[in-house]
Amino acid sequence: MAKPTVDGTTTSTLFGSKDCTVIKEKIDLKLTKDHSDYIKSYLINYKITYKISSPKKEKLDLVFVGINMMNSENISVNGTTITASKIKKFPENFKDKDGDGLYELKFDQANTYYIPPDDAISFVANLEAGENEIIIEYNGYPEYNVFGILREFKIEYALYPSKFWKSFGPIEVNINMPNDTEIRSVNQGALQDLKNGNYQLKIDKIVLDDLEINFSTKLSILGKILLFIQPIGLTCISFLILAFLHFKWIKNTRKRRPKKFNYSVILGSLLVITLCFFVFIFGHDLILWVINEEHMKQGYILLAVFTYPIFLIIYLMIAWYFDATCKMKLNE
């Protein structure tokens, strides 16, 4: 089966030290539309700011993980920029795992993570005694689905490295995105809609290892209603209306032909089930048109082909039973 999603950039907070405290972490995310291919995707500019308190002046090995991160990182410590050539050497706590190209990141005996070397940035931070500021800036892109109706995008940010610090303060996430997009859900923290494509998320207590932010194209009221109903809902509504009209037709025909063959049973069953399947199939296209989505893959046509005869037989039996009941009542 084809993979239902396209992977995006997954990053994490810094792996740190039990000697230092992260007073605060601020994550600024700026999203812009990416027109490099036919998929309506987005580029994300990440700017991560750490306020770190150190008990003394020291050099600290830090590791930042960025899976599928674009090669455009920029790091500064207390206002001093660290060039790329200074952050490519792995610290001693990286060990190649079984020669398979994955590096073992182990900061204590209970927690081990395996990371491809190309997905990690290692650098030495010259910390001053007291408060320090580390800024990491880079570009990436969100994960998105290719199957379904609505294309949803997901930003993933790992929070589990916070356990490697002496203590870790609150996290503030500021999000700026195009006005025609909207955040659909976050899995932790308190989200504020600041309007005009600006959102703020505050996490005072880390309860999950990962932060997930899901967003999509902004939907109209009609789009939200149709997306809630789904094609199966449209089909059920159509079925109830068509079945009511069909059973009324069966009953009226039986009254006119109390002892003869009731042709409306077979003809009506074919019409009801066929029309319902057309609603199911084209309901997807209707919703996609209303919410302005395209290039989404569907598996419903194959499903309809295989299930059509089953639903037709079941409905035909019900219609025949209803007609038989009407006939018995008329001939009593």
Side-chain angles (χ1 to χ4, degrees):
M1 181 177 177
K3 188 177 180 180
T5 60
V6 174
D7 293 334
T9 302
T10 302
T11 56
S12 79
T13 192
L14 285 172
F15 285 87
S17 168
K18 290 297 183 182
D19 296 326
C20 297
T21 296
V22 176
I23 302 170
K24 182 181 180 181
E25 178 180 0
K26 186 173 74 167
I27 305 170
D28 292 311
L29 305 175
K30 185 174 183 180
L31 282 69
T32 55
K33 290 185 177 180
D34 177 18
H35 300 288
S36 60
D37 57 25
Y38 66 89
I39 297 294
K40 294 179 181 178
S41 190
Y42 298 85
L43 290 175
I44 309 172
N45 175 256
Y46 295 76
K47 184 179 180 181
I48 320 296
T49 304
Y50 300 90
K51 297 290 185 180
I52 298 175
S53 177
S54 176
K56 60 183 179 180
K57 186 175 181 178
E58 63 178 319
K59 290 185 177 182
L60 185 64
D61 280 335
L62 294 174
V63 176
F64 176 76
V65 177
I67 299 174
N68 292 326
M69 184 177 66
M70 299 175 72
N71 295 324
S72 57
E73 66 273 1
N74 182 35
I75 299 175
S76 67
V77 179
N78 293 327
T80 301
T81 299
I82 301 177
T83 62
S85 61
K86 294 181 180 179
I87 62 175
K88 295 303 183 183
K89 183 180 179 181
F90 290 103
E92 292 181 358
N93 50 15
F94 266 106
K95 295 180 180 179
D96 192 352
K97 175 182 174 290
D98 301 327
D100 59 2
L102 294 180
Y103 281 79
E104 179 184 274
L105 180 59
K106 193 178 186 69
F107 276 82
D108 58 30
Q109 295 300 316
N111 296 278
T112 301
Y113 301 96
Y114 300 102
I115 302 169
D118 291 339
D119 292 332
I121 300 172
S122 167
F123 61 98
V124 177
N126 293 312
L127 301 183
E128 301 291 337
E131 186 174 307
N132 298 266
E133 182 180 74
I134 297 177
I135 299 176
I136 301 178
E137 190 170 0
Y138 58 94
N139 293 323
Y141 48 91
E143 175 185 311
Y144 60 86
N145 59 302
V146 293
F147 280 88
I149 298 177
L150 178 67
R151 176 168 284 113
E152 292 193 66
F153 300 86
K154 181 167 68 174
I155 301 172
E156 291 186 88
Y157 191 80
L159 302 175
Y160 61 78
S162 61
K163 69 183 68 173
F164 296 117
W165 294 89
K166 183 178 181 180
S167 66
F168 207 94
I171 299 174
E172 177 185 308
V173 185
N174 298 301
I175 308 165
N176 175 264
M177 55 176 54
N179 287 326
D180 59 352
T181 59
E182 61 183 348
I183 293 180
R184 300 189 63 79
S185 66
V186 296
N187 65 340
Q188 58 183 312
L191 181 69
Q192 289 181 287
D193 184 354
L194 305 179
K195 307 302 180 182
N196 298 319
N198 294 295
Y199 296 85
Q200 188 173 85
L201 177 66
K202 292 185 177 180
I203 304 174
D204 295 319
K205 184 179 180 181
I206 298 174
V207 295
L208 299 172
D209 283 345
D210 299 297
L211 168 65
E212 294 182 1
I213 302 171
N214 296 284
F215 68 96
S216 71
T217 301
K218 187 176 290 185
L219 301 177
S220 63
I221 295 176
L222 177 60
K224 290 179 179 179
I225 293 173
L226 290 175
L227 195 63
F228 175 78
I229 295 175
Q230 293 283 309
I232 189 66
L234 292 174
T235 305
C236 289
I237 294 172
S238 300
F239 173 76
L240 291 175
I241 296 173
L242 291 171
F244 172 78
L245 295 174
H246 180 213
F247 277 42
K248 195 171 183 179
W249 183 23
I250 291 174
K251 190 173 183 179
N252 291 336
T253 304
R254 176 53 63 192
K255 286 181 180 179
R256 295 196 309 269
R257 303 162 63 91
K259 294 186 178 181
K260 295 183 179 181
F261 175 75
N262 193 345
Y263 61 88
S264 64
V265 173
I266 297 178
L267 182 58
S269 296
L270 285 169
L271 286 172
V272 169
I273 300 303
T274 300
L275 289 174
C276 283
F277 270 76
F278 269 107
V279 171
F280 178 69
I281 292 173
F282 291 104
H284 285 80
D285 295 329
L286 172 64
I287 298 175
L288 287 174
W289 178 73
V290 170
I291 65 177
N292 194 28
E293 283 289 2
E294 54 187 355
H295 305 298
M296 296 295 288
K297 298 179 181 179
Q298 308 287 347
Y300 56 84
I301 295 179
L302 188 62
L303 175 67
V305 170
F306 281 104
T307 58
Y308 177 83
I310 298 173
F311 280 97
L312 178 60
I313 292 172
I314 293 173
Y315 181 80
L316 185 59
M317 293 174 62
I318 295 173
W320 220 304
Y321 177 78
F322 177 76
D323 179 60
T325 302
C326 292
K327 185 178 181 180
M328 288 176 58
K329 289 181 178 180
L330 288 172
N331 293 327
E332 283 180 353

